[in-house]
Amino acid sequence: MDSTATRTLPFIYKYKNHEGADCESRQDVTFPFEQEDLEELVTKLMGQMDPMMRYLDENIRLEKELQAFVDVEQQSFMDDLSEKLLNQAENGELDLDAIARNTERLYKEELLQFADRVGPSDADIFAQSFHRLVHSSSLEEILKRERAYAKVVADMNELMESEVETLHHSLQQEMDSQINQLDITTTSDDINNLLAQQYTTHNFVRKRYESELEAMKGHQKNEYRNWITSQVGEMFQASPVATPLGNRSSMFVSQQPSMEESFTIHLGSQLKHMHNIRILSANVTALCSPLHAEESLNGLNMALGLYSSSLCGVVVLTPSIQAQANKNIIRNANKSTEFHFEQMDAQLDEIEKQIRNLSTEDSSGSGNGNGCGNESGNGSGSSGSGSGSSAEGSATSSPSKKHVPRLKTGDFFITRHSNLSQSHVIFHLISDEPINSPSEINSRHPVILGLRNILKTASRHDITTLTIPALLRHEMSEDMTVQWCIRRAELVFKCAKGFMIESASWGGAELRWAMVWSLKFDLNNQRFCFSTVQLLLPDDISESLFTTLAGMVPTVFHVANPKILVDTNK
């Protein structure tokens, strides 16, 4: 069966607006159609209408007509596909053996009674063992072992940097002396040969240390995982001891922001959600610093939250090139062994491989590629891949050049971490804003839509603490005027508020994204969720501008009034 066959048809919805004028909304629909995409199509069509139409319940009639259109065209598509397959079977054009094998595979993947009888993988066993140990008296011993491993890797990194720096200094002196003797005792060919020799020597020393570091990290990871799984049996033989609970509010103790302010707000009309909005000034790399670089509670907090439903995420802006993360973050991630996931370099390599595959599919016209971040896609991947859009290659000056995959503005990819101090997940949002001069954008800008998709992904995968750049910049520049910063912050605040309200429909009544504590209770038919959303400002922002932007938060969001309870029994 041809599983890649698709059909795209336009859906035209005609209606009268609130002034009685005839209008229409148009949206292409691809078949075969997934029913869970219906609500997203309705949202896209409503986005083309006047906002007043939503208050007139036009979305209800739109959804009915779209559902009827999908039902008819889906049935027509399946009938045509079945007719095509029957004709191919009559003409002997079908590979019946391949169809049988594919059907068998689908049965094994979908139905439990036909699935292969396999046990949990080594990764599953390790994850369950670690989760049990961190909630026992073994937590302190786990942290001590991790610190010891991290110190060994850090010492080797320092040794490598020191030797490379010494070698570079000596090679530079040798090169300077040869240049001074140019046309006296040396020639330009001698200098070129010396340069090639020095490059080879420098590269050999660095590669030797990198190879030793990779081997050491692999040995530490295997030893650590074996030790974790072996400790589970001993844990049940010992008497239970209360778990040392970490204060989730201490997640930001080690790197104190220069300025910060917190607010309690509530969103929603009938079903209310309460959140703590925290606006702070800090360097984004401070939220992704090495976990065991210094003694703090970060190791305890990150360990307790690693396999929980209270994960921490940070949005980091990245230029629109290949899947290349912030170099400082990569350096921090490589300062210790990643025990639970792949090392960050391996995650980035896997993401680039997926992007190249998607670019190859797009260039050959074999399908509609799904990649990392835009609203139109739905692909997802492991080892740090995101979920979202198609990735396109950059234009080349010659058709003979190799197609280079390139992410678009608004796409994002994801890396997972257990060895960074304040982030389990990093959303690398593609944006050319940090390298361009400040410009005016609106709520339909790809970066804003990419931020919406990040919140959508977070709401579906228990990313319960999320930090977003409030100015869509990580550093201040001279051309960022006060008025521009106010307009940009107001746009991001309002869009974030709208996405938070919209997230209730993504996650339903049990939505828990951006919650530091899973504390929920009902009072007078109102649902309260104590939560924290981080609005990150550059660390070099002025105090007066920070005060101005912090004062905008109560204006954009509704600040919750405190409830005073009086005991009438006294």
Side-chain angles (χ1 to χ4, degrees):
M1 181 177 179
D2 186 8
S3 60
T4 62
T6 59
R7 177 188 299 173
T8 301
L9 297 174
F11 171 73
I12 303 175
Y13 178 71
K14 297 182 179 180
Y15 64 97
K16 291 184 180 295
N17 62 14
H18 60 283
E19 296 178 350
D22 293 330
C23 302
E24 68 177 33
S25 295
R26 179 187 297 266
Q27 181 67 39
D28 291 336
V29 182
T30 301
F31 297 92
F33 184 82
E34 297 293 339
Q35 186 63 31
E36 54 265 23
D37 296 336
L38 183 67
E39 185 177 350
E40 186 171 355
L41 284 180
V42 171
T43 302
K44 289 182 178 180
L45 288 166
M46 290 298 298
Q48 303 174 21
M49 301 181 187
D50 190 288
M52 180 64 68
M53 301 306 297
R54 181 175 291 275
Y55 295 100
L56 298 178
D57 294 335
E58 190 68 27
N59 59 309
I60 298 177
R61 191 166 71 91
L62 169 60
E63 184 174 357
K64 291 181 180 179
E65 290 196 18
L66 180 59
Q67 183 67 63
F69 171 80
V70 167
D71 292 341
V72 173
E73 296 300 335
Q74 179 88 336
Q75 186 62 46
S76 175
F77 171 79
M78 299 305 296
D79 291 343
D80 294 343
L81 181 60
S82 301
E83 186 68 24
K84 178 182 177 181
L85 293 176
L86 290 175
N87 293 334
Q88 290 178 348
E90 291 178 358
N91 299 330
E93 300 175 358
L94 286 180
D95 186 354
L96 297 180
D97 292 337
I99 294 177
R101 289 193 299 270
N102 186 56
T103 303
E104 180 184 8
R105 179 182 62 82
L106 294 176
Y107 266 82
K108 288 183 177 181
E109 292 179 354
E110 297 294 334
L111 300 178
L112 180 61
Q113 58 266 38
F114 295 100
D116 294 331
R117 302 294 189 235
V118 294
S121 62
D122 293 340
D124 294 335
I125 295 175
F126 168 74
Q128 295 175 8
S129 302
F130 180 85
H131 185 65
R132 290 184 178 181
L133 285 180
V134 296
H135 291 86
S136 70
S137 58
S138 302
L139 176 58
E140 184 177 357
E141 188 175 356
I142 292 176
L143 297 179
K144 287 182 179 179
R145 185 174 289 260
E146 289 183 355
R147 293 191 191 101
Y149 284 141
K151 187 177 186 306
V152 173
V153 175
D155 291 343
M156 178 165 285
N157 270 308
E158 292 179 2
L159 182 62
M160 178 185 68
E161 295 298 335
S162 175
E163 183 169 339
V164 169
E165 182 65 26
T166 302
L167 177 63
H168 177 74
H169 182 69
S170 62
L171 294 179
Q172 185 64 40
Q173 289 181 339
E174 183 181 6
M175 178 60 68
D176 292 340
S177 64
Q178 291 294 325
I179 293 177
N180 293 333
Q181 297 297 321
L182 182 62
D183 296 332
I184 300 177
T185 59
T186 60
T187 64
S188 58
D189 292 337
D190 294 334
I191 292 179
N192 290 334
N193 293 333
L194 178 61
L195 183 63
Q197 180 182 356
Q198 288 184 353
Y199 174 80
T200 302
T201 303
H202 185 277
N203 191 57
F204 171 77
V205 173
R206 181 171 289 276
K207 289 296 183 182
R208 175 170 60 84
Y209 272 104
E210 289 178 352
S211 178
E212 292 180 3
L213 278 171
E214 183 177 0
M216 177 184 295
K217 290 178 181 178
H219 174 72
Q220 287 184 355
K221 187 172 184 177
N222 290 333
E223 187 179 75
Y224 178 83
R225 285 177 169 243
N226 292 334
W227 177 79
I228 288 292
T229 53
S230 66
Q231 292 296 307
V232 176
E234 301 178 7
M235 180 190 71
F236 291 107
Q237 298 176 3
S239 57
V241 180
T243 306
L245 296 177
N247 181 6
R248 297 303 300 269
S249 62
S250 66
M251 294 288 289
F252 303 91
V253 168
S254 60
Q255 286 86 16
Q256 279 289 349
S258 56
M259 293 172 285
E260 66 172 281
E261 192 165 348
S262 299
F263 304 87
T264 300
I265 57 101
H266 62 267
L267 300 175
S269 56
Q270 296 180 351
L271 189 64
K272 293 186 181 299
H273 297 265
M274 294 192 67
H275 308 273
N276 290 329
I277 302 297
R278 186 169 184 252
I279 183 169
L280 69 157
S281 167
N283 193 323
V284 67
T285 57
L287 305 182
C288 307
S289 58
L291 181 61
H292 299 295
E294 57 185 23
E295 293 291 335
S296 67
L297 289 176
N298 285 332
L300 184 145
N301 286 320
M302 296 303 289
L304 291 176
L306 189 58
Y307 291 99
S308 71
S309 58
S310 300
L311 301 176
C312 304
V314 179
V315 179
V316 178
L317 302 177
T318 304
S320 58
I321 52 179
Q322 287 92 330
Q324 182 176 355
N326 185 295
K327 292 183 179 180
N328 292 328
I329 295 178
I330 296 178
R331 187 181 300 109
N332 290 340
N334 289 332
K335 286 185 177 180
S336 61
T337 303
E338 176 59 74
F339 296 112
H340 300 266
F341 311 107
E342 296 293 332
Q343 289 291 143
M344 190 171 184
D345 292 333
Q347 295 187 43
L348 295 176
D349 290 341
E350 178 64 23
I351 295 171
E352 288 186 356
K353 180 180 178 181
Q354 294 182 16
I355 296 173
R356 284 194 295 269
N357 293 338
L358 292 171
S359 301
T360 303
E361 293 175 2
D362 291 342
S363 61
S364 63
S366 60
N368 300 323
N370 297 330
C372 323
N374 212 340
E375 189 176 12
S376 61
N378 55 9
S380 61
S382 60
S383 301
S385 62
S387 61
S389 81
S390 62
E392 294 184 354
S394 58
T396 56
S397 58
S398 172
S400 61
K401 289 185 179 181
K402 186 178 178 181
H403 181 73
V404 180
R406 183 182 178 91
L407 295 174
K408 300 180 297 183
T409 299
D411 293 345
F412 67 94
F413 58 93
I414 298 174
T415 54
R416 303 177 295 175
H417 307 275
S418 65
N419 60 346
L420 296 180
S421 61
Q422 301 171 31
S423 56
H424 296 108
V425 177
I426 300 179
F427 296 90
H428 305 268
L429 177 61
I430 304 301
S431 170
D432 288 327
E433 279 274 312
I435 60 178
N436 297 331
S437 57
S439 59
E440 298 297 335
I441 63 176
N442 55 33
S443 60
R444 303 304 297 173
H445 191 273
V447 176
I448 297 294
L449 296 179
L451 186 60
R452 172 185 181 270
N453 291 328
I454 288 177
L455 297 180
K456 187 174 184 179
T457 303
S459 69
R460 291 179 173 178
H461 297 89
D462 289 333
I463 311 298
T464 57
T465 299
L466 192 62
T467 303
I468 61 177
L471 298 179
L472 300 181
R473 293 289 187 99
H474 292 314
E475 296 178 354
M476 298 294 293
S477 61
E478 294 181 356
D479 46 5
M480 293 171 61
T481 63
V482 173
Q483 293 302 320
W484 181 90
C485 292
I486 292 176
R487 290 193 300 270
R488 174 60 61 86
E490 183 179 11
L491 173 66
V492 175
F493 291 175
K494 289 183 177 179
C495 291
K497 175 186 176 182
F499 298 154
M500 292 165 67
I501 296 175
E502 187 182 5
S503 66
S505 62
W506 297 333
E510 294 301 322
L511 179 72
R512 295 194 307 268
W513 81 269
M515 290 170 48
V516 173
W517 301 283
S518 296
L519 175 60
K520 311 168 187 178
F521 59 91
D522 291 328
L523 181 62
N524 297 329
N525 296 325
Q526 295 181 349
R527 177 182 175 79
F528 294 82
C529 304
F530 289 94
S531 59
T532 297
V533 179
Q534 306 267 30
L535 300 174
L536 182 65
L537 294 172
D539 60 338
D540 53 350
I541 192 172
S542 65
E543 184 175 355
S544 60
L545 180 54
F546 177 87
T547 303
T548 301
L549 299 183
M552 294 169 54
V553 175
T555 305
V556 176
F557 298 92
H558 295 291
V559 177
N561 295 323
K563 293 183 178 296
I564 301 176
L565 304 179
V566 179
D567 189 358
T568 58
N569 295 327
K570 292 184 178 180

